[in-house]
C-alpha cells in the first residue's frame, strides 16, 4: 500500500479516472488525507532537522562586563562556551579546579545585577515581569546543574584550551573539544558533546 501522497494520488486517479470525484468519507478520501498528513509531518520534521543541524554563531563575550560585544545569541550552551573561551584566552596555564569553580560562579551570577534592578523597579504588590521570571528560572536551573555537575569544556587540558582558543564560534565545531562536568564540591566527571542528561 503506497504511503507517499503523489503515489496515492496516482493510484486513485488510475482507479477512478482523471475527472472522477471522490466522496468525502470514502476509503480513497481517507487514504488521501492520511497521505497528506504524513507528508506534512515529514516536511515539518525535515525542516526541524535542518534547523538543528545549522551552525549557531555567537559574538565575543566580555566576562568582566557580562555582555556580548555585538549581540546576544539565544543558545545558552554557545553563550556558556563563549564565556569560557574568553576566559581561556587570557590564561596561558591550565585552570585548576578551584579557579574553574570561581569562573563557573562568576558565570552563574551574570544576571544578578539585572535581577536586582528588575526587583527594585517593580512596585510593591505587583506581579513579577516575564523577564524577571525567566532570569530567575534560568538562574535556578543552572544552580541545580552546578550542584550535580556543570557542563563546560575541560579547562585543565592544554590541548582542549588550545582548541577552545581557536574555536570558530560554530556549534558543529565543538565536537573536537573535551568536556567535563564539575560539581559544586569540586568533583570532575568526563562528559560528552552534545551533553546528554548527566553525562
Amino acid at each position: 500500500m503506497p504511503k507517499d501522497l503523489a503515489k496515492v494520488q496516482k493510484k486513485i486517479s488510475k482507479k477512478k479516472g482523471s475527472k472522477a470525484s471522490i466522496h468525502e468519507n470514502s476509503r480513497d478520501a481517507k487514504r488521501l488525507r492520511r497521505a497528506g498528513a504524513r507528508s506534512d509531518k515529514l516536511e515539518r520534521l525535515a525542516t526541524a532537522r535542518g534547523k538543528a543541524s545549522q551552525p549557531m554563531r555567537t559574538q565575543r563575550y566580555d566576562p568582566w562586563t557580562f555582555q556580548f560585544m555585538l549581540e546576544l545569541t539565544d543558545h545558552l550552551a554557545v553563550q556558556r562556551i563563549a564565556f569560557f573561551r574568553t576566559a581561556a584566552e587570557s590564561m596561558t596555564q591550565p585552570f585548576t579546579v578551584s579557579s574553574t569553580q570561581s569562573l563557573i560562579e562568576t558565570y552563574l551570577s551574570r544576571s544578578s545585577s539585572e535581577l536586582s534592578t528588575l526587583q527594585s523597579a517593580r512596585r510593591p504588590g505587583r506581579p513579577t515581569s516575564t523577564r524577571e521570571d525567566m532570569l530567575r528560572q534560568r538562574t535556578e536551573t543552572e544552580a541545580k546543574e552546578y550542584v550535580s555537575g556543570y557542563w563546560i569544556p575541560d579547562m585543565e587540558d592544554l590541548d582542549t584550551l588550545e582548541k577552545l582558543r581557536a574555536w570558530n564560534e560554530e556549534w558543529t565545531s565543538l565536537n573536537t573539544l573535551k568536556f567535563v562536568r564539575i560539581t559544586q564540591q569540586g568533583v570532575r566527571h568526563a562528559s560528552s558533546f552534545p551533553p546528554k542528561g548527566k553525562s
Side-chain angles (χ1 to χ4, degrees), residues 11-59:
K11 190 162 184 125
I12 291 173
S13 67
K14 276 185 180 179
K15 184 169 87 172
K16 295 280 186 179
S18 60
K19 295 186 180 180
S21 61
I22 299 173
H23 187 267
E24 181 179 13
N25 293 325
S26 68
R27 291 182 201 158
D28 291 334
K30 289 177 183 176
R31 194 179 309 147
L32 275 172
R33 280 195 297 272
R34 277 195 310 265
R38 183 176 189 277
S39 67
D40 288 345
K41 177 184 171 187
L42 290 176
E43 200 172 300
R44 277 195 319 270
L45 289 173
T47 56
R49 226 181 357 258
K51 286 180 184 176
S53 66
Q54 287 179 353
M56 297 189 184
R57 306 270 312 160
T58 183
Q59 306 302 322

Side-chain angles (χ1 to χ4, degrees), residues 19-171:
K19 295 186 180 180
S21 61
I22 299 173
H23 187 267
E24 181 179 13
N25 293 325
S26 68
R27 291 182 201 158
D28 291 334
K30 289 177 183 176
R31 194 179 309 147
L32 275 172
R33 280 195 297 272
R34 277 195 310 265
R38 183 176 189 277
S39 67
D40 288 345
K41 177 184 171 187
L42 290 176
E43 200 172 300
R44 277 195 319 270
L45 289 173
T47 56
R49 226 181 357 258
K51 286 180 184 176
S53 66
Q54 287 179 353
M56 297 189 184
R57 306 270 312 160
T58 183
Q59 306 302 322
R60 291 218 180 252
Y61 185 80
D62 185 6
W64 313 117
T65 61
F66 300 105
Q67 295 176 356
F68 279 100
M69 300 298 182
L70 297 176
E71 70 181 39
L72 194 65
T73 181
D74 289 334
H75 200 276
L76 292 176
V78 174
Q79 291 176 10
R80 183 185 297 188
I81 294 166
F83 174 83
F84 286 101
R85 175 191 181 191
T86 307
E89 287 175 348
S90 62
M91 294 291 286
T92 55
Q93 297 296 321
F95 288 74
T96 61
V97 174
S98 60
S99 62
T100 305
Q101 282 182 309
S102 65
L103 210 61
I104 291 171
E105 289 161 5
T106 304
Y107 182 72
L108 290 177
S109 64
R110 70 191 181 279
S111 57
S112 60
S113 61
E114 185 179 356
L115 257 174
S116 61
T117 305
L118 288 170
Q119 287 172 348
S120 63
R122 184 170 31 97
R123 294 181 309 192
R126 301 293 297 169
T128 58
S129 66
T130 307
R131 175 78 178 153
E132 186 178 346
D133 287 339
M134 192 263 312
L135 286 174
R136 186 174 288 120
Q137 182 180 13
R138 184 182 71 189
T139 305
E140 290 170 0
T141 304
E142 288 179 343
K144 286 179 186 174
E145 182 186 352
Y146 185 37
V147 168
S148 63
Y150 205 68
W151 183 78
I152 60 168
D154 189 0
M155 306 295 274
E156 296 180 27
D157 184 34
L158 278 174
D159 187 41
T160 302
L161 284 176
E162 288 300 318
K163 289 177 183 176
L164 187 61
R165 289 184 194 113
W167 177 45
N168 63 356
E169 298 179 1
E170 291 185 3
W171 173 257

Side-chain angles (χ1 to χ4, degrees), residues 163-181:
K163 289 177 183 176
L164 187 61
R165 289 184 194 113
W167 177 45
N168 63 356
E169 298 179 1
E170 291 185 3
W171 173 257
T172 54
S173 63
L174 289 174
N175 61 354
T176 60
L177 302 177
K178 280 175 43 181
F179 287 90
V180 293
R181 285 196 179 271

